[in-house]
Amino acid sequence: MNREIDIEKLKEVLHIEVRQRALFQEALTHRSYLNEHKGYEYPHNERLEFLGDAVLELVVTENLFENYENPEGELTSFRAALVNGDMLAKIGSDLSIQDFLLMSRGESKDTGRARGYLVANAVEAIIGALYLDQGYGAAKDFIVAQVMSHLPEVFEQGLHTDAKSRFQELSQEKMGITPGYRVLKEWGPDHDRNFIAGVYLGEEKVAEGEGSSKQEAQREAAKQALIAKDWQ
């Protein structure tokens, strides 16, 4: 039995046209939904996510190349800040993608970073669906409107700079201290490990961050520390 997404509402919130409804049904179907709905006729969204990721990166790269004369390394940092999971999760949340996403009962209870990860993937899948439905131009229009529009925010908040480098630079400048990091907790099997890292200024724990590697947890901790110190 199929649960059909509200395609008219989706068109309204995304400001898009839809020709092939099935593509967008697929884009909003998480793998876990199929496990609980054996008669469901649509595939999950991972293939569309794969396609959308490539289209997203190309459009953002093309836009940055055409509009900014910065060197390659800086353009790469701008692009990374626009297409990473945190930014896509924010964009998807602002568009209420979570209200359309089909997932298992267990997945639907997730909050925070876990939910953000699913929403970010769905944004990429929607881009893939839009590309197949109406071509590169339609996908580009959507990406420019919904993703490139966040570039001023990237510049204002310094999201294109590495958080660890930025926090170290400001810690040394403002306090004369080099920050240190400690792994506070780790769990999960080897193939799906999780870490919580703390960032310290001397003995003061400034913030914590979680990630699937020690490095990712440290970067997240540094990002949270910049917020905690109001050094953004």
Side-chain angles (χ1 to χ4, degrees):
M1 182 176 178
N2 293 331
R3 176 185 154 197
E4 304 289 340
I5 61 170
D6 186 338
I7 202 70
E8 293 303 319
K9 183 65 174 177
L10 183 71
K11 287 162 58 176
E12 179 184 333
V13 300
L14 298 184
H15 305 290
I16 61 170
E17 293 301 319
V18 171
R19 295 175 185 167
Q20 302 174 73
R21 187 189 183 290
L23 285 170
F24 294 87
Q25 182 83 25
E26 178 181 340
L28 289 160
T29 301
H30 184 256
R31 173 189 287 272
S32 65
Y33 188 75
L34 273 64
N35 296 332
E36 294 183 354
H37 300 81
K38 300 302 183 184
Y40 187 72
E41 68 183 55
Y42 299 97
H44 59 72
N45 65 5
E46 290 174 14
R47 282 173 54 83
L48 285 176
E49 175 197 336
F50 167 76
L51 176 62
D53 174 64
V55 176
L56 172 63
E57 185 154 319
L58 176 58
V59 171
V60 171
T61 300
E62 180 182 65
N63 191 282
L64 290 171
F65 182 82
E66 289 176 349
N67 293 290
Y68 296 87
E69 296 186 357
N70 302 64
E72 179 265 348
E74 292 180 9
L75 294 176
T76 298
S77 297
F78 300 165
R79 181 179 65 195
L82 286 168
V83 305
N84 67 47
D86 288 341
M87 178 62 79
L88 294 180
K90 179 183 184 304
I91 292 167
S93 178
D94 289 346
L95 292 170
S96 301
I97 296 300
Q98 64 276 4
D99 295 342
F100 298 91
L101 191 55
L102 303 179
M103 51 192 147
S104 69
R105 288 187 294 272
E107 295 285 356
S108 66
K109 294 176 183 176
D110 282 337
T111 57
R113 290 182 67 84
R115 173 64 63 85
Y117 180 71
L118 299 185
V119 170
N121 291 345
V123 171
E124 291 182 332
I126 286 168
I127 291 169
L130 193 54
Y131 174 78
L132 292 178
D133 191 47
Q134 294 162 57
Y136 181 76
K140 179 177 180 178
D141 288 345
F142 177 79
I143 293 165
V144 169
Q146 304 298 344
V147 180
M148 293 306 305
S149 58
H150 287 269
L151 194 55
E153 173 187 336
V154 167
F155 293 148
E156 289 164 11
Q157 298 185 22
L159 301 179
H160 56 295
T161 61
D162 175 72
K164 284 184 69 176
S165 300
R166 184 66 175 154
F167 187 62
Q168 178 169 316
E169 174 189 329
L170 290 172
S171 298
Q172 292 171 336
E173 174 187 321
K174 295 176 179 292
M175 303 180 66
I177 300 175
T178 298
Y181 295 84
R182 303 174 197 168
V183 174
L184 303 177
K185 184 179 179 182
E186 57 182 283
W187 70 95
D190 289 343
H191 68 277
D192 189 23
R193 208 85 182 125
N194 291 278
F195 299 85
I196 293 178
V199 57
Y200 294 78
L201 292 175
E203 291 303 310
E204 176 198 2
K205 184 176 75 174
V206 182
E208 295 181 3
E210 182 177 335
S212 57
S213 68
K214 293 177 183 178
Q215 294 76 15
E216 183 180 333
Q218 289 174 0
R219 286 194 296 270
E220 183 61 27
K223 186 188 302 182
Q224 295 305 317
L226 287 166
I227 296 170
K229 289 291 188 182
D230 198 21
W231 291 350
Q232 292 176 271

